[in-house]
């Protein structure tokens, strides 16, 4: 049956009673009771809190004015009196709101726990087969995309490795070609130097022989002059001994 709060009740006492029942694992938190009790008691607690606020403002205003503000409101006719009455209610409301922060300090965690438990016991909505099928298809598509991405990543890695190996081979080939070229250049230089030395040696020998031939030819020519006889002796490549 519906639970209703009334203005004249002791709202704090009622809240304590309801919360004690609510937080008891064998009572309000009992899985057999909680699904039905918690939604109803949360609405009922809301009524008590609202009525406590209204009653507290009413009592504080009546105490401040020294009369029942309900009767006072009926007798107010002019605008200034209504504005003063509204200002008095605003002051009373602020005082009561500040007091509520201390009075209900322990209430929010309890309500939050009750709401969480209520959600836990709430019946699960039936799943639409079409929605479930769509979710499965999306999950399968996601898995395929992940597998394809992994394969593409492996291909890229293999391609990068092949490119790196090719670059290393090309660099080694260039280095080998450079070494072989240096060796050929060194060998050519050695052959050139050997050929130059050989030609210089031949030239020196020829120059020595030519010098000797010239001396011999000159001596023979002098001898022919002195003797008046022609000497038939070849001097190789020396000068021509005939005058």
């Amino acid at each position: 049956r519906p639970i209703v709060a009334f203005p004249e009740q002791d709202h704090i006492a009622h809240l304590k009673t309801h919360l004690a029942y609510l937080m008891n694992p064998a009572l309000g938190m009992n899985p057999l009771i909680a699904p039905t009790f918690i939604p109803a008691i949360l609405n009922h607690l809301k009524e008590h809190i609202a009525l406590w606020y209204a009653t507290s403002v009413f009592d504080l205003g009546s105490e401040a004015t020294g009369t029942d503000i309900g009767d006072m409101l009926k007798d107010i006719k002019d605008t200034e009196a209504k504005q003063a009455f509204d200002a008095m209610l605003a002051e009373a409301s602020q005082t009561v709101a500040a007091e509520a922060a201390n009075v209900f300090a322990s209430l929010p965690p309890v309500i939050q726990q009750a709401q969480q438990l209520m959600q836990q016991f709430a019946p699960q909505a039936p799943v639409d087969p079409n929605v479930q099928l769509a979710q499965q298809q999306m999950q399968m598509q996601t898995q395929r995309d992940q597998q394809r991405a992994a394969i593409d990543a492996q291909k890229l890695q293999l391609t990068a490795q092949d490119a790196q190996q090719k670059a290393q081979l090309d660099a080694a080939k260039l280095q080998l070609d450079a070494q072989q070229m240096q060796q050929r250049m060194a060998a050519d230089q050695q052959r050139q130097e050997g050929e130059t030395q050989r030609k210089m040696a031949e030239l020196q020998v020829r120059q020595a022989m030519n010098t000797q031939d010239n001396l011999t030819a000159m001596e023979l020519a002098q001898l022919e002059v002195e003797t008046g006889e022609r000497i038939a002796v070849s001097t190789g490549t020396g000068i021509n001994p005939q005058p």
Side-chain angles (χ1 to χ4, degrees):
R1 294 176 297 175
I3 305 175
V4 181
F6 298 96
E8 66 276 7
Q9 290 177 330
D10 185 342
H11 301 291
I12 301 300
H14 275 261
L15 286 171
K16 290 180 179 179
T17 302
H18 298 324
L19 291 175
Y21 187 91
L22 171 63
M23 298 306 298
N24 193 312
L27 300 173
M29 294 293 179
N30 191 317
L32 294 176
I33 299 175
T36 303
F37 173 72
I38 290 180
I41 201 61
L42 289 179
N43 288 328
H44 188 59
L45 294 177
K46 179 174 62 178
E47 291 180 350
H48 275 298
I49 294 172
L51 288 175
W52 173 88
Y53 169 80
T55 302
S56 298
V57 172
F58 183 88
D59 293 343
L60 185 59
S62 298
E63 181 180 354
T65 59
T67 183
D68 189 320
I69 61 174
D71 296 335
M72 181 185 298
L73 183 60
K74 295 177 183 178
D75 297 335
I76 294 177
K77 302 299 182 182
D78 59 288
T79 303
E80 292 183 359
K82 288 184 178 180
Q83 291 177 351
F85 182 83
D86 291 339
M88 181 272 299
L89 284 181
E91 292 293 333
S93 175
Q94 292 180 0
T95 302
V96 172
E99 182 182 358
N102 296 325
V103 173
F104 303 116
S106 61
L107 193 57
V110 174
I111 293 177
Q112 183 178 8
Q113 183 178 355
Q115 289 175 336
Q116 292 175 352
L117 188 61
M118 183 173 61
Q119 293 176 356
Q120 179 180 347
F121 290 130
Q124 299 294 330
V127 180
D128 188 348
N130 294 328
V131 174
Q132 187 175 8
L133 179 61
Q135 291 177 348
Q136 292 177 352
Q137 291 176 347
M138 290 179 61
Q139 185 177 3
M140 293 174 62
Q141 183 63 38
T142 301
Q143 292 177 353
R144 287 194 296 266
D145 293 341
Q146 291 176 350
Q147 293 175 352
R148 188 178 297 109
I151 293 174
D152 292 341
Q154 291 178 354
K155 289 181 179 178
L156 289 175
Q157 185 177 3
L158 291 175
T159 302
Q161 291 177 353
D162 291 342
Q164 184 178 4
Q165 292 176 354
K166 185 177 183 301
Q168 292 175 351
L169 291 174
D170 292 341
K173 185 176 182 300
L174 288 175
Q175 185 177 3
L176 180 60
D177 291 343
Q179 292 176 352
Q180 291 177 349
M181 182 178 294
Q182 290 178 354
Q183 293 174 356
R184 286 195 299 269
M185 290 176 64
D188 292 341
Q189 185 176 0
Q190 290 178 355
R191 284 195 299 270
Q192 185 66 30
E193 291 177 353
E195 184 67 18
T196 301
Q197 292 176 358
R198 185 185 65 78
K199 289 181 178 180
M200 289 180 63
E202 290 181 354
L203 180 60
Q204 290 175 355
V205 170
R206 289 179 181 177
Q207 288 178 349
M209 291 177 63
N210 188 51
T211 300
Q212 185 63 39
D213 288 345
N214 290 337
L215 291 175
T216 302
M218 291 175 65
E219 290 176 354
L220 291 175
Q222 182 66 28
L223 183 60
E224 287 178 351
V225 171
E226 291 177 354
T227 60
E229 295 181 359
R230 185 177 184 82
I231 302 173
V233 177
S234 175
T235 59
T237 59
I239 60 174
N240 189 358
Q242 294 182 358

